């Protein structure tokens, strides 16, 4: 079998392919034939060298993937041969709050999904909703679970509330889709008219071009009659503008930064305190959150948005496309 390997900070040029024997599952492991993997911003962070969690040398990269169980260890009870599965990024985080003890993650401190076969601890396994292909299911573990946690893991979203999403990346698109499924109003920001059109097609009620309107928080206030939004899914690190967009008692789910530390604007502590809004950091989500999300996706027949699918042998090209082409939707690497 073939696997790609990566190193922290080694860049896309540092990706390499190696041949291995197909491994045998240990007593509590399942052997999965991987059919698809998908790229998220974390994969670029790892190659750029500023991912916050540990990354082992020569890791098999990519946290997100989906495939078929083809063998199980003798003590496995959570999966059988033939199951269509994906995996929780944090296999040891079953439920409850995130903690460092459960921070081991696929494609980081543990081998990930850019491979033909992988061994997963049975605790990591999550069944794929029936209506999703392997390619669609491979988009769920990072972006979708993070969006689900952002909207339901703290001040849970209710019908009629307003959600602000920033940019049209994977987390933002899943947040838009989940928010509409909940009966919420969505204000989205993006960088171009073409992306704005697509966001409206996907259900966004209002779209703001953050390039044409750099003070987009003022527009968010106008669009909410001055009240601000109930939820911000903050994927950019522009925290001050997100605070200025949030309602008193609103929640900012602080998901991530799109720039290294030096590029992030500072926060005005007084502004934060005066806003009355809660800021809650989000680290993907637990297996319990993943399973709850998968049930909602199944019932709502929700389909992930895919921009482009690359062949496994073209994985390096997929990374380059993801980095430079400004896709709208997930970039998937499939074994066809
Ligand atoms: N904490 C966690 O567990 C967790 C999990 C997943 C992701 N994250 C973080 O969440 C963020 C998004 O991840 P992702 O995988 O969804 O990324 P992604 O799919 O690569 O999308 C990034 C998007 O950001 C938008 N963008 C770029 N500059 C922007 C700006 N100045 N203002 C607003 N939007 C901008 C772009 O969309 P437009 O062209 O439409 O603007 C781009 O498509 C990253 O910071 C990532 O590290 C954190």
């Amino acid at each position: 079998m073939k696997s790609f390997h990566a190193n922290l900070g080694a860049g896309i040029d540092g990706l390499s392919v190696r041949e291995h024997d197909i491994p045998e599952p240990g007593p509590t492991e399942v052997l999965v034939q991987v059919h698809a993997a998908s790229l998220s911003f974390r994969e670029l962070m790892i190659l750029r060298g500023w991912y916050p969690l540990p990354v082992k040398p020569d890791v098999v990269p990519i946290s997100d993937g989906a495939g078929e169980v083809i063998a199980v260890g003798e003590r496995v009870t959570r999966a059988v041969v033939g199951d269509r599965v994906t995996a929780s990024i944090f296999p040891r985080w079953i439920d409850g709050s995130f903690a460092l003890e459960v921070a081991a993650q696929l494609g980081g401190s543990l081998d990930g999904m850019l491979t033909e076969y992988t061994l997963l601890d049975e605790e990591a396994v999550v069944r794929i909703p029936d209506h999703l292909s392997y390619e669609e299911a491979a988009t769920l573990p990072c972006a979708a679970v993070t969006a689900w946690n952002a909207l339901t893991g703290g001040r849970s979203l209710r019908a009629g509330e307003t959600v602000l999403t920033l940019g049209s990346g994977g987390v933002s698109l899943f947040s838009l889709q989940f928010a509409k499924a909940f009966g919420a109003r969505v204000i989205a920001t993006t960088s171009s008219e073409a992306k704005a059109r697509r966001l409206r097609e996907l259900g966004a009620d209002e779209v703001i071009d953050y390039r044409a309107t750099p003070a987009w928080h003022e527009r968010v206030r106008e669009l909410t009659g001055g009240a601000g939004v109930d939820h911000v899914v903050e994927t950019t690190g522009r925290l001050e503008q997100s605070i200025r967009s949030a309602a008193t008692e609103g929640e900012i789910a602080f998901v991530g930064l799109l720039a290294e530390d030096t590029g992030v604007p500072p926060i005005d502590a007084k502004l934060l305190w005066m806003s009355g809004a809660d800021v809650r950091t989000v680290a993907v989500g637990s297996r319990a959150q993943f399973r709850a999300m998968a049930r909602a996706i199944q019932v709502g027949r929700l389909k992930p948005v895919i921009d482009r699918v690359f062949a496994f042998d073209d994985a390096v090209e997929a990374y380059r496309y993801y980095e430079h082409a400004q896709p709208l939707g997930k970039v998937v690497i499939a074994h066809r």
Side-chain angles (χ1 to χ4, degrees):
M1 65 174 236
K2 281 193 281 191
S3 303
F4 281 82
H5 293 268
N7 281 291
L8 187 70
I12 295 176
D13 289 337
L15 288 165
S16 59
V17 188
R18 286 190 221 146
E19 299 263 351
H20 305 275
D21 293 333
I22 297 176
E24 297 274 325
T28 61
E29 289 177 327
V30 302
L31 176 63
V32 172
Q33 181 176 5
V34 180
H35 289 299
S38 97
L39 291 167
S40 297
F41 196 72
R42 79 181 282 282
E43 313 305 341
L44 294 181
M45 290 170 81
I46 287 171
L47 297 185
R48 290 171 184 169
W50 47 282
Y51 188 63
L53 294 171
V55 177
K56 70 171 186 170
D58 276 332
V59 69
V60 174
I62 303 196
S63 59
D64 292 19
E68 182 182 347
V69 175
I70 57 165
V72 298
E74 68 222 17
R75 298 215 308 270
V76 166
T77 57
R78 293 195 69 255
V80 296
V81 170
D83 278 354
R84 299 166 75 243
V85 299
T86 178
S88 191
I89 288 185
F90 298 111
R92 291 175 201 150
W93 185 15
I94 306 301
D95 201 350
S97 306
F98 185 65
L100 276 184
E101 299 86 83
V102 297
Q105 9 86 57
L106 300 181
S109 55
L110 307 169
D111 280 332
M113 291 289 189
L114 195 52
T115 179
E116 292 181 299
Y117 298 86
T118 189
L119 286 178
L120 293 173
D121 190 294
E122 67 165 331
E123 296 295 349
V125 166
V126 176
R127 282 200 186 77
I128 294 173
D130 299 338
H131 67 294
L132 296 187
S133 66
Y134 285 118
E135 292 169 11
E136 290 164 338
T139 69
L140 300 179
C142 183
V145 178
T146 301
W148 182 263
N149 186 352
L151 294 176
T152 68
R155 179 193 185 286
S156 202
L157 179 60
R158 285 173 294 201
E161 291 189 332
T162 303
V163 174
L164 172 64
T165 59
L166 303 179
S168 57
V171 176
S172 301
L173 288 180
F174 278 114
S175 299
L176 163 61
Q177 291 178 292
F178 293 145
K180 293 314 294 179
F182 270 81
R185 177 189 184 211
V186 175
I187 302 174
T189 73
T190 191
S191 56
S192 72
E193 187 42 44
K195 286 187 171 183
R197 265 198 305 279
R198 188 76 184 103
L199 289 170
R200 285 194 197 92
E201 284 165 13
L202 290 166
D205 298 276
E206 310 281 353
V207 183
I208 305 169
D209 184 329
Y210 63 79
R211 294 218 168 115
T213 311
W216 44 263
H217 56 282
E218 291 173 2
R219 183 74 188 124
V220 172
R221 283 267 164 201
E222 279 169 24
L223 290 169
T224 52
V229 298
D230 304 291
H231 287 264
V232 184
V233 183
E234 170 46 276
T235 45
T236 67
R238 273 73 180 169
L239 201 49
E240 177 163 338
Q241 283 181 278
S242 290
I243 293 166
R244 290 184 189 280
S245 303
T248 310
E249 297 180 9
E251 184 189 87
I252 298 159
F254 193 8
V255 169
L257 313 171
L258 286 170
E260 283 179 82
D261 294 351
T262 49
V264 179
I267 305 165
D268 177 342
K270 188 175 168 199
L271 174 79
L272 174 58
W273 185 71
M274 292 288 287
S275 74
D278 286 338
V279 178
R280 178 174 66 90
T281 54
V282 169
V284 194
S286 65
R287 190 187 77 201
Q289 287 173 305
F290 196 159
R291 293 183 69 206
M293 179 197 77
R295 280 195 299 274
I297 288 174
Q298 169 100 34
V299 169
R301 311 298 284 179
L302 188 149
K303 287 275 201 174
V305 182
I306 292 178
D307 178 276
R308 190 162 161 191
V309 182
F310 287 82
F312 178 73
D313 288 338
D314 298 331
V316 171
E317 200 190 318
Y319 269 87
R320 291 198 201 290
Y321 176 84
Y322 175 58
E323 185 172 42
H324 295 297
Q326 303 194 331
L328 191 145
K330 299 295 288 182
V331 175
V332 172
I333 298 163
H335 304 253
R336 287 171 158 176

